Amino acid sequence: LELTEGDASLLFAITRTVSLLALLAVAFSDRRGRRVPLLASFALLPAANLLTALVPGVVPFGLFQSITRFGVVAVAALTIVVLAEDLSPGVRAYGIGLYALFGAMGSGLSLVLLPVAERHDDAWRILFGLSAVGAVALPLLVRFLRETRAFVPRTNPVSFRAALRAGLGKYFWPLAAIAFLVAAFSSPAFDFALERLIDDLAWDASPARWLLIVSSGIGSLGLLLGGRMADTSGRRPTTLLALIFGLAGGVGLYTFSSGWLLAPSVILASLGATMLTPAFAAHRSELFPTAVRATAGGWITNAAILGSITGFLVGWVVIPTAGLSRSITILGMGLIAAALFVLRLPETRGIDLVRRKAAARN
């Protein structure tokens, strides 16, 4: 699309702004159930990507990818709630990590297929068209996906604002701050990783791509490691360790120039990001009752999206003058503040959400 790094950063920010509306689907699920909004959100993904492949121009690209982002955010938020409410406490974070591992495999597949986009100027559309094959999974979801065991239909829905006033704000605001600060750093850091290797360090596209594929592939084992550690040692220590790994690896990627140091940096950054995913997802699900669980998760997801937007807007302003590496390092300092917010949260390992359902009925 012939966009500069700054223009691409602005486009990424715009698509993430639209995805804030995914909260509507998430909030609906607290009133009517998780199943229907999850199915509807999933259906948007292949449809919007197929339209991205077929319609030319920067504006249609931004429009349809904004719809895709809406679906991605809604599916991710709702799936975490479904898993949290259906999995037993001893394997909840591990199960969320296993789900996220399949997501990482999808991201890795997109990198493997990237050479297809290099054949000619419009070949990138082939990749978006190929992603529409995900539509074949929709009939399976319609048939086999059931409402969660923990969901409680309510005739008098609880507003999220009232829940915050009733005392849940002491959990929500630290969680939202963590999500914001992590996303403000990680979104630009990961999205510009290939740019860093190719444009800043003059790597060829093929070795740069394979460095990211192999190193981040190794790091993705953190989804299982972090899930298991969160279930056995706790959500808080796992989150803190993940933040340390993510900061060290992310800054290393944008500081070192030797491949011998870049590969361990990508592994460490990926390990931190992937360890964080199941621990943080389980933690946020367990701190809220079923009546507002999805809405709380949706607002926390929106805080992360706002963090991504902020990170990309900072990049849009700062990268042209300070450079990509220094800009990412500045954003990384927010993870130190995020670690302090983690310390303010109680440990929730072992909470049974299905028993909470019985308590809610009583």
Side-chain angles (χ1 to χ4, degrees):
L1 298 176
E2 298 181 353
L3 299 176
T4 65
E5 287 181 348
D7 290 337
S9 188
L10 178 61
L11 181 60
F12 292 150
I14 292 171
T15 59
R16 281 159 173 77
T17 300
V18 175
S19 67
L20 292 170
L21 297 175
L23 179 65
L24 299 175
V26 175
F28 180 82
S29 75
D30 274 335
R31 297 172 180 266
R32 300 298 179 87
R34 321 311 191 188
R35 181 178 182 272
V36 172
L38 178 55
L39 291 173
S41 300
F42 180 83
L44 290 176
L45 303 182
N49 265 7
L50 182 60
L51 289 170
T52 301
L54 297 177
V55 182
V58 175
V59 173
F61 180 91
L63 171 63
F64 294 126
Q65 282 307 289
S66 295
I67 296 173
T68 299
R69 289 294 306 177
F70 175 100
V72 166
V73 170
V75 167
L78 289 168
T79 302
I80 287 173
V81 173
V82 168
L83 291 172
E85 293 182 344
D86 269 347
L87 295 175
S88 60
V91 295
R92 183 175 294 130
Y94 186 79
I96 292 173
L98 188 61
Y99 158 75
L101 180 61
F102 279 84
M105 291 168 61
S107 299
L109 178 61
S110 68
L111 285 174
V112 171
L113 294 176
L114 195 58
V116 173
E118 298 171 352
R119 295 183 177 181
H120 55 79
D121 290 345
D122 285 330
W124 59 268
R125 298 182 185 278
I126 298 173
L127 299 183
F128 284 88
L130 287 174
S131 69
V133 73
V136 302
L138 188 58
L140 297 175
L141 287 173
V142 171
R143 180 175 180 183
F144 293 108
L145 183 65
R146 297 290 179 263
E147 193 52 74
T148 66
R149 295 184 298 145
F151 177 71
V152 181
R154 301 181 67 94
T155 56
N156 54 336
V158 178
S159 74
F160 185 60
R161 183 179 299 179
L164 292 182
R165 288 198 300 264
L168 292 178
K170 63 184 178 181
Y171 305 141
F172 173 77
W173 295 113
L175 288 167
I178 294 166
F180 179 93
L181 293 167
V182 169
F185 169 65
S186 63
S187 293
F190 280 102
D191 279 20
F192 284 114
L194 203 57
E195 295 278 345
R196 160 70 173 161
L197 296 175
I198 295 175
D199 291 346
D200 289 0
L201 301 180
W203 281 46
D204 291 335
S206 181
R209 184 173 61 251
W210 282 107
L211 172 70
L212 294 179
I213 291 173
V214 175
S215 299
S216 61
I218 296 172
S220 66
L221 294 175
L223 291 166
L224 302 182
L225 176 63
R228 186 58 182 162
M229 181 177 173
D231 283 332
T232 56
S233 300
R235 308 339 187 180
R236 292 205 317 168
T238 306
T239 299
L240 289 171
L241 185 61
L243 291 174
I244 294 171
F245 285 172
L247 177 59
V251 171
L253 172 60
Y254 288 88
T255 301
F256 301 127
S257 57
S258 168
W260 296 105
L261 295 175
L262 287 170
S265 295
V266 175
I267 292 172
L268 196 60
S270 299
L271 190 66
T274 54
M275 287 180 64
L276 179 67
T277 297
F280 188 70
H283 206 177
R284 83 183 195 194
S285 298
E286 293 162 346
L287 284 170
F288 297 97
T290 304
V292 294
R293 181 171 297 123
T295 304
W299 277 111
I300 292 168
T301 298
N302 274 4
I305 295 169
L306 289 173
S308 296
I309 294 169
T310 301
F312 284 120
L313 289 177
V314 168
W316 181 46
V317 174
V318 177
I319 289 174
T321 55
L324 183 59
S325 296
R326 186 175 297 177
S327 301
I328 297 298
T329 301
I330 291 171
L331 290 169
M333 296 304 99
L335 295 194
I336 298 174
L340 298 178
F341 283 113
V342 173
L343 296 175
R344 297 182 58 181
L345 296 170
E347 182 56 60
T348 58
R349 178 173 62 91
I351 288 180
D352 191 331
L353 300 183
V354 176
R355 288 185 179 180
R356 279 192 177 185
K357 173 180 178 178
R361 283 179 170 172
N362 295 332

